[in-house]
Amino acid sequence: MTGTEPIRVLVADDQPLLRASFASLIDSAPDLHVVGEAANGHAAVDNARSTGADVVLMDIRMPGLDGLAATRRITTDADLAHVRILILTTFEIDEYVFEALRNGASGFLGKSAEPAALLDAIRVVHGGDALLTPAATRSLISRYLARPDHGLDATPARLGCLTDRERDILALVATGLSNDDIAGHLTLSPHTVKTHINRTMAKVGAHDRAQLVVIAYETGLVRPPSP
């Protein structure tokens, strides 16, 4: 993709009116282009592959294959490694959104968001340099992991492959800091920070920055705030 080509977006939602509304809004932006629509998870996976989409707007609740399973299939497919998933949610159910992030989604946004916020969210997720709405994501993860029944198995050994610097940067990523912020905090260049983050993702098997945040919490590197 060159700098002049629009971001290719796939809209996956089981409600035709919502799909049409999202598609119309997205196509109104000169740097975005809807390349397909899907009414269920199976179609989302197939269309992500056939349309060459860069970003998938993914509803969670869809018939047949839901958005969580579809997200997992897309993010674990080596041929779709470039695809970013933006979860659209009507229901603020922590487990669902958290599970989507664990499965490789790059961020989430409520369907009640302002139109400009949705367009910006697509651009942010596609860019991959910052986790969408980091404060909201950290709050969601903190609340979920603070529950005694969250069912996650903390595995600190997973971080054993990281250098001290990579662990430090991972902890700062989990707080929602941008690469520039981390660079300033550690007196490094943004390029060096980005290199460390890319190496960390490769070592721990993270699809993108959102999964790094999840891993930082799961392994106990970052702790949820006390109630």
Side-chain angles (χ1 to χ4, degrees):
M1 175 175 164
T2 67
T4 59
E5 292 178 344
I7 298 170
R8 300 165 64 85
V9 183
L10 171 65
V11 180
D13 194 295
D14 64 336
Q15 300 182 50
L17 184 57
L18 277 179
R19 285 202 312 274
S21 297
F22 287 137
S24 178
L25 171 64
I26 293 165
D27 275 333
S28 71
D31 61 331
L32 306 176
H33 175 56
V34 174
V35 294
E37 298 181 19
N40 57 63
H42 289 293
V45 176
D46 291 342
N47 290 353
R49 186 174 293 108
S50 64
T51 64
D54 300 307
V55 176
V56 180
L57 295 188
M58 185 78 77
D59 187 24
I60 290 179
R61 292 189 171 185
M62 292 187 292
L65 191 73
D66 66 20
L68 296 179
T71 294
R72 188 184 309 112
R73 291 191 185 185
I74 290 172
T75 59
T76 56
D77 187 328
D79 293 334
L80 300 176
H82 67 286
V83 180
R84 295 292 176 258
I85 309 292
L86 174 61
I87 295 293
L88 294 173
T89 177
T90 300
F91 307 95
E92 294 183 359
I93 303 175
D94 292 358
E95 291 86 345
Y96 287 172
V97 178
F98 181 79
E99 188 64 24
L101 293 174
R102 291 188 75 203
N103 288 346
S106 296
F108 66 95
L109 191 70
K111 290 184 179 179
S112 60
E114 293 293 325
L118 174 60
L119 300 181
D120 286 342
I122 293 171
R123 298 180 183 109
V124 169
V125 167
H126 177 257
D129 290 331
L131 176 64
L132 179 65
T133 57
T137 300
R138 292 199 312 275
S139 175
L140 180 150
I141 293 174
S142 296
R143 293 197 308 273
Y144 186 59
L145 291 183
R147 292 175 46 174
D149 61 341
H150 61 65
L152 297 181
D153 178 21
T155 53
R158 186 175 185 182
L159 304 184
C161 58
L162 301 182
T163 65
D164 289 342
R165 175 64 81 189
E166 289 166 348
R167 289 168 67 95
D168 290 342
I169 290 177
L170 173 56
L172 292 173
V173 167
T175 67
L177 294 182
S178 68
N179 287 0
D180 288 344
D181 291 336
I182 295 173
H185 186 80
L186 297 177
T187 318
L188 300 171
S189 73
H191 175 75
T192 298
V193 170
K194 186 173 184 179
T195 298
H196 280 304
I197 290 174
N198 288 339
R199 287 175 179 168
T200 300
M201 286 194 291
K203 287 182 178 180
V204 302
H207 179 69
D208 62 10
R209 201 179 186 97
Q211 280 197 319
L212 284 181
V213 175
V214 174
I215 290 169
Y217 276 92
E218 282 186 320
T219 57
L221 180 65
V222 176
R223 297 288 184 181
S226 301

